[in-house]
């Protein structure tokens, strides 16, 4: 069973609750999504493998450590996932980037695929799939299924806000994937929006409403 991690860091909590406010504008919203993603990436990479490496400081030789093991990739779910990419790349700048385009049909709440472009060796990489909102879980579950179809075996999902319904669906559909959520909210409303939530993440990041 994949593990569910709800962040409990005061900086993450402060920043998430700050951007929930409806008066926060696009510039600030976008900047803070990036910062939250960076802090979450720090936590989600805690178990990356290290290997010994011989180095020489200005004073002496020593056995140091460097990242070893699988190479990394980041896959945002378009559009809103794009807002998390820069923050994650600040922590893991050598990661390759794939894109999965999905939008949620407003009537059925079902995900509709419109784009998929992945690094050619993504099946050999550790893949961080990112989307700020885990609501019904339809979009993220579909994205993970698309990646599995391409042979990806090692994935972690990062979202800023999760609803209990989405967490349950995602961990049931993909029990092998670890999930990191910045905060766990109360519920979904009748339109499938997370409550109390932060509204439509894509519209707030890109200023489209
Ligand atoms: O868990 P779900 O019920 O599937 O809902 C979450 C999805 O909805 C939002 O995307 P949206 O369809 O608004 O597309 P956008 O990112 O282009 O705004 C959000 O960014 C997730 O991808
Ligand atoms: O609350 C929600 C649910 C889905 N997508 C969003 O952007 N916000
Ligand atoms: Mg949206």
């Amino acid at each position: 069973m994949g593990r569910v991690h709800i962040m409990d860091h005061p900086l993450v909590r402060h920043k998430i609750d700050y951007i929930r406010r409806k008066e926060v504008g696009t510039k600030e919203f976008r900047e803070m999504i990036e910062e939250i993603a960076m802090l979450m990436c720090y936590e989600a990479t805690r178990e990356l493998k290290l290997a010994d490496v011989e180095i020489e400081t200005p004073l002496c030789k020593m056995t140091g450590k460097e990242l070893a093991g699988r190479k990394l990739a980041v896959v945002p779910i378009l559009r809103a996932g794009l807002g998390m990419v820069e923050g994650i790349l600040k922590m893991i700048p050598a990661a390759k980037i794939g894109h999965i385009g999905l939008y949620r049909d407003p009537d059925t709440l079902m995900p509709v695929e419109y784009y998929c472009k992945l690094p050619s060796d993504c099946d050999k990489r550790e893949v961080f799939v990112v989307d700020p909102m885990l609501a019904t879980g339809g979009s993220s579950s579909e994205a993970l299924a698309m990646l599995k179809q391409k042979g990806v075996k090692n994935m972690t999902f990062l979202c800023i806000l999760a609803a209990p319904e989405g967490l349950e669906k995602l961990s049931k559909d993909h029990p092998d994937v670890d999930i990191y959520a910045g905060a766990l909210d109360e519920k979904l409303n009748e339109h499938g929006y997370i409550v109390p939530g932060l509204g439509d993440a894509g519209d707030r990041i890109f200023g489209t409403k």
Side-chain angles (χ1 to χ4, degrees):
M1 189 71 167
R3 290 163 298 173
V4 174
H5 309 255
I6 311 293
M7 300 287 290
D8 65 354
H9 195 288
L11 281 177
V12 172
R13 179 64 194 262
H14 174 88
K15 288 174 193 291
I16 289 179
D17 286 359
Y18 186 86
I19 60 167
R20 288 179 189 276
R21 296 165 210 223
K22 61 181 183 190
E23 66 273 19
V24 169
T26 302
K27 174 177 180 288
E28 219 176 359
F29 190 90
R30 193 188 292 144
E31 288 169 354
M32 291 186 84
I33 287 278
E34 185 180 323
E35 287 172 16
I36 296 163
M38 184 177 72
L39 294 167
M40 290 186 64
C41 180
Y42 177 77
E43 192 62 32
T45 49
R46 187 176 282 284
E47 289 176 21
L48 290 184
K49 301 270 181 301
L50 293 171
D52 288 350
V53 57
E54 297 307 315
I55 60 172
E56 196 168 351
T57 78
L59 301 182
C60 64
K61 291 186 175 177
M62 69 169 277
T63 305
K65 298 280 185 194
E66 65 180 7
L67 286 175
R70 249 176 245 105
K71 292 193 171 148
L72 308 175
V74 184
V75 176
I77 302 176
L78 308 182
R79 287 173 305 165
L82 286 174
M84 298 174 70
V85 172
E86 286 303 316
I88 290 182
L89 288 180
K90 288 210 166 101
M91 294 289 101
I92 48 171
K96 290 202 174 174
I97 305 174
H99 295 87
I100 289 182
L102 289 175
Y103 70 87
R104 191 175 73 158
D105 183 290
D107 299 320
T108 64
L109 301 185
M110 296 305 289
V112 182
E113 180 189 337
Y114 61 90
Y115 192 70
C116 183
K117 183 79 179 170
L118 301 169
S120 54
D121 59 353
C122 69
D123 55 326
K124 295 177 193 69
R125 289 178 179 260
E126 173 83 39
V127 177
F128 293 87
V129 182
V130 301
D131 188 327
M133 308 306 271
L134 173 55
T136 65
S139 306
S140 44
S141 181
E142 179 66 20
L144 296 182
M146 288 165 69
L147 286 159
K148 283 182 180 173
Q149 265 200 343
K150 304 273 181 187
V152 179
K153 285 165 223 70
N154 301 283
M155 284 188 279
T156 302
F157 180 74
L158 276 71
C159 61
I160 306 253
L161 285 190
E165 295 89 332
L167 263 190
E168 195 184 327
K169 175 173 171 61
L170 197 59
S171 45
K172 188 160 146 266
D173 291 355
H174 300 283
D176 51 320
V177 176
D178 280 359
I179 303 169
Y180 286 80
L184 175 59
D185 271 17
E186 198 184 317
K187 60 180 182 185
L188 295 177
N189 71 11
E190 63 279 20
H191 306 293
Y193 274 80
I194 300 176
V195 178
L198 49 72
D200 190 302
D203 283 337
R204 293 195 70 186
I205 290 168
F206 296 107
T208 40
K209 219 169 217 167

